[in-house]
Amino acid sequence: MQKINIRNWQISDAQALAAVANNRNVWNSIRNEFPSPYTVMDALAWIKHANEEKPVANFAIEIGNIVAGNISCTWHKDVYAKTVELGYFIGENYWGKGIASEAVREIIRFGYDKMELNRIEAETIEDNHESRRMLEKLGFVLEGIQSPPLVS
């Protein structure tokens, strides 16, 4: 496997991000606020948002100089200020190749070494068993399963 690179998003990544993110299978594995279809305009808005964050918390996952996905750290507040929620997605054509695992490994190292974190959390969509298994292989511990609220 080629070495991955985690870096800040660049405006020139918009087309590649849209190509990776405009996939219903990718959309099905992340939160509903993610647009579908995912356009170049969505990508440009995301890149602008990602680069305005302080500290920067969303990064491009790159392999062989090609954008493969996104990895992020969402900071908690107050007494949980040294805790982040990890989020990530990679394009479907990169699934099963160890790319997400390597990106998560890099963020874990960076988080504890450079960001002085106490805790990194991650949530997966309930039926995304592959992502959950990957996180467990990297040392994450399943603390619970949330069910969606019942609608009457």
Side-chain angles (χ1 to χ4, degrees), residues 25 27 38 51 79 95 98 121 134:
N25 291 327
W27 184 84
Y38 197 97
N51 289 329
V79 297
W95 292 1
E121 303 173 341
M134 179 208 57

Side-chain angles (χ1 to χ4, degrees), residues 28-86:
N28 283 332
S29 67
I30 54 182
R31 294 195 169 131
N32 290 345
E33 61 196 29
F34 195 81
S36 180
Y38 197 97
T39 67
V40 172
M41 293 305 291
D42 293 319
L44 287 167
W46 173 251
I47 291 167
K48 181 179 186 296
H49 162 77
N51 289 329
E52 288 174 350
E53 289 179 308
K54 299 297 180 226
V56 173
N58 286 280
F59 305 95
I61 301 170
E62 184 180 64
I63 185 159
N65 296 320
I66 298 171
V67 170
N70 181 78
I71 192 160
S72 65
C73 294
T74 302
W75 291 88
H76 290 282
K77 295 179 176 27
D78 197 32
V79 297
Y80 303 106
K82 293 283 189 172
T83 299
V84 297
E85 180 185 344
L86 177 67

Side-chain angles (χ1 to χ4, degrees), residues 122-129 132 136 141-148:
E123 294 181 3
T124 65
I125 302 298
E126 185 177 5
D127 62 349
N128 191 343
H129 305 291
R132 190 167 71 208
E136 289 171 345
V141 176
L142 178 63
E143 292 183 347
I145 297 174
Q146 291 180 316
S147 297

